[in-house]
Amino acid sequence: MESSSLISFSLLFCFSILFFGSNGVEARRAPPSISYLISENLFNSIFLHKDDNACPARNFYNYTSFIQAAKCFPSFGNTGDIATRKREIAAFLAQISHETTGGWATAPDGPYAWGLCFKEEINPQSNYCDSTNTQWPCYPGKSYHGRGPIQLSWNYNYGPAGKAVGFDGLRNPEIVANNSLIAFKTGLWFWMTEQSPKPSCHDVMVGKYVPTEADLAANRTAGYGLVTNIINGGLECGIPNDARVNDRIGFFQRYAQLFKVDTGPNLDCANQKPF
């Protein structure tokens, strides 16, 4: 479980904690990089069409921003054995691909080669302001619709995400669609952060998820399907053969092959109750 204190430490770590080495000279300590697990060539082979002219997010989601953002969360892609690390990265990239896909059934290179095509929700149906949430109150005139790789939504997510990664999420939510580094940080913040009663997606994918009695009763078993439940279970889980769930699985299966790892069990959430 990545507690809020651990995440705060991770972000300080990201911003280059200063310390004194044995020789008394101030030095900068860098977090471990996941670049040895996902090269720029692999990243580009995963996202074959993200920079096509047809994609509104063309040239926005770049490899360098992803690797830099991951350094803010040292446990991401750095927990467990090599297969577990690769599987977690593949799962994260698969989920954000579904959230931002520009693919269709007969698309060139298949429907699962068009992740990261969008950076902002098209024609949002509301401003995603929960006025009952007084901890993270909406700012007048601002919209908290889906932005970035995870399509961060609602004031109660923008507020804490901004606090964690260093921007004013309530007054300046637009930055998530205008700054690729911040965009990836918000996606990873959501992935790494437990939001009780939901575990973190990270804990699920690295084997640290411990189901409660309520989880067991709801058949919320560990696996990629539980990650989908965390992200959008209220709309997608408990439904047999849901097309959205199948799309998420399709991305994951393709990416797992590229990473040369298996997907693990429990890919869907058809038999799970939402949180």
Side-chain angles (χ1 to χ4, degrees), residues 58-89:
R58 181 173 181 264
N59 296 327
F60 181 69
Y61 296 111
N62 61 77
Y63 174 76
T64 300
S65 291
F66 171 61
I67 294 299
Q68 289 180 343
K71 290 180 180 179
C72 298
F73 301 89
S75 296
F76 175 73
N78 277 304
T79 304
D81 60 21
I82 294 297
T84 300
R85 297 177 185 200
K86 288 181 176 182
R87 190 178 300 110
E88 181 188 13
I89 298 170

Side-chain angles (χ1 to χ4, degrees), residues 7-21:
I7 289 174
S8 298
F9 174 77
S10 297
L11 292 169
L12 287 172
F13 200 60
C14 165
F15 299 139
S16 298
I17 296 175
L18 295 177
F19 71 99
F20 288 92

Side-chain angles (χ1 to χ4, degrees), residues 98 112 224 228 236 239-253 267-270:
H98 169 79
Y112 308 121
Y224 185 75
T228 296
E236 299 180 22
I239 305 169
N241 202 34
D242 184 83
R244 297 160 295 184
V245 173
N246 291 340
D247 189 65
R248 295 179 190 271
I249 294 170
F251 277 111
F252 187 37
Q253 289 173 329
L267 292 180
D268 66 62
C269 57

